[in-house]
Amino acid sequence: MKRLKFIGFFAVIVLALNGLAEAEISASSAAIPVPKASGTKISQNDKSAIDYSNANDGYIMVKYTGTRTRAVVYVNSPGKKKYQYELPVDKKYHVLPLTEGDGKYTIEVLEATGNTGSVIDKLEITVKLSDALKPFLNPNYYVNFNKNSTVTKKANELCSGKKTEVEKISAVYNWFVSEVVYDHEKAKNVKSGYVPKIADLMKDKKGICFDYASAMTAMLRSQGIPARLEVGYAGEEYHAWISVFTKETGWVNGWIQFDGKNWKLMDPTYAAANKENSGFRKFMNTKGSYSTIYKY
């Protein structure tokens, strides 16, 4: 994957749907899924293991047990889209999502030194998701959290007493806008293969757009709200944002805000710091400005 260049903002959905009747969901009722390497379906050798026991729940587990300095996994989707993951050389399972729906996925594991590598396992599986939303509720490689994570505890705090999905989404959004700042220095030096560390964002209250999107996705998923971390282009810049799902609206894709009368495209973090930038507002209100490539 080429060097990633992240712009200084992240896109997110704020649903201020006046009068919208939504099902009530208490924060305590959201059961956080715990991905497992069950061992019932596995492809394994002396260098790697691919556990696809729970592929129909939207994920596989992969670990590298060899001795090279790098391990790369490619997940080729039914739509011919190739997802790339650089696994830590730690001999531990990592959760890789299957986010492109039902169909055939091909998984390749490579071990590498420098820029050269060789395939050490290749597996084709057919996926029939038990629930199309499951991939967007599970923790995974880029959205890493559990019931004891700082991000989950903060989400529980923010959503305490909130009765609807809209109230919870708004509470989480408002916290990010008011508490987290963009890390311009980090953005200058981010490299290909970067993996957000949600715990660092929660501690330091700063990050790049990928960090924002990862942490906010984790917060919403911890409350049982399906959220999709999306990576692609905003104009010519590589960027990360989120979309969310509610029972009343289905998926609301791409940076949508409802002001009670009109739907708009908006990127709140950058917009908050550039209220007088009419050129930026025009860019944000052009839907074609955003193009999704990957979903996590």
Side-chain angles (χ1 to χ4, degrees), residues 13 22 47 64 70 91 93 99 101 104 117 128 139 150 163 171 175-176 193 220 261 295:
I13 301 167
E22 294 196 67
K47 294 182 178 180
Y64 174 66
R70 292 177 61 229
K91 301 185 179 181
Y93 274 114
T99 57
K104 290 184 178 179
K128 178 66 176 177
T150 305
K163 300 298 184 181
W175 183 85
F176 275 92
L220 294 175
K261 294 181 180 180
K295 298 176 289 188

Side-chain angles (χ1 to χ4, degrees), residues 169-221:
I169 293 167
S170 296
V172 169
Y173 161 78
N174 288 332
W175 183 85
F176 275 92
V177 170
S178 63
E179 298 295 331
V180 183
V181 298
Y182 190 77
D183 191 335
H184 293 278
E185 189 62 31
K186 184 177 183 179
K188 294 177 184 178
N189 300 300
V190 67
K191 296 180 180 179
S192 177
Y194 175 77
V195 179
K197 295 182 179 179
I198 295 175
D200 288 351
L201 178 139
M202 298 302 297
K203 177 184 176 182
D204 301 332
K205 303 292 180 62
K206 64 181 180 179
I208 59 174
C209 61
F210 206 1
D211 300 318
Y212 276 101
S214 174
M216 188 163 182
T217 300
M219 274 200 185
L220 294 175
R221 289 184 186 180

Side-chain angles (χ1 to χ4, degrees), residues 65-281:
T65 55
T67 58
R68 295 287 184 92
T69 57
R70 292 177 61 229
V72 179
V73 180
Y74 293 112
V75 177
N76 301 281
S77 74
K80 309 301 181 184
K81 194 171 291 184
K82 178 177 284 191
Y83 287 75
Q84 178 179 326
Y85 303 91
E86 293 207 17
L87 295 189
V89 184
D90 58 6
K91 301 185 179 181
K92 297 179 181 179
Y93 274 114
H94 296 272
V95 187
L96 307 187
L98 304 173
T99 57
E100 297 290 340
D102 297 343
K104 290 184 178 179
Y105 290 78
T106 302
I107 298 98
E108 298 176 274
V109 183
L110 293 78
E111 62 174 7
T113 300
N115 295 321
T116 62
S118 57
V119 176
I120 56 177
D121 198 5
K122 185 174 182 178
L123 174 69
E124 184 177 278
I125 61 175
T126 299
V127 173
K128 178 66 176 177
L129 292 173
S130 57
D131 183 334
L133 294 177
K134 279 195 172 180
F136 307 108
L137 285 166
N138 294 322
N140 66 41
Y141 184 79
Y142 286 128
V143 187
N144 191 4
F145 68 101
N146 58 49
K147 67 178 182 180
N148 297 316
S149 298
T150 305
V151 71
T152 302
K153 293 176 181 178
K154 174 54 71 172
N156 290 340
E157 174 189 323
L158 294 171
C159 296
S160 177
K162 304 297 187 295
K163 300 298 184 181
T164 68
E165 291 171 325
V166 163
E167 289 176 331
K168 294 177 183 180
I169 293 167
S170 296
V172 169
Y173 161 78
N174 288 332
W175 183 85
F176 275 92
V177 170
S178 63
E179 298 295 331
V180 183
V181 298
Y182 190 77
D183 191 335
H184 293 278
E185 189 62 31
K186 184 177 183 179
K188 294 177 184 178
N189 300 300
V190 67
K191 296 180 180 179
S192 177
Y194 175 77
V195 179
K197 295 182 179 179
I198 295 175
D200 288 351
L201 178 139
M202 298 302 297
K203 177 184 176 182
D204 301 332
K205 303 292 180 62
K206 64 181 180 179
I208 59 174
C209 61
F210 206 1
D211 300 318
Y212 276 101
S214 174
M216 188 163 182
T217 300
M219 274 200 185
L220 294 175
R221 289 184 186 180
S222 77
Q223 303 305 300
I225 299 173
R228 196 163 58 202
L229 191 168
E230 301 186 9
V231 175
Y233 284 90
E236 297 181 353
E237 302 289 351
Y238 210 50
H239 187 36
W241 61 89
I242 77 168
S243 292
V244 294
F245 180 95
T246 72
K247 294 176 179 63
E248 294 295 327
T249 64
W251 283 107
V252 184
N253 299 311
W255 344 285
I256 297 177
Q257 182 177 27
F258 186 66
D259 64 7
K261 294 181 180 180
N262 303 299
W263 292 96
K264 298 179 181 179
L265 299 183
M266 189 174 183
D267 199 326
T269 299
Y270 192 84
N274 293 272
K275 294 178 181 178
E276 304 305 319
N277 188 334
S278 60
F280 177 74
R281 288 200 302 272

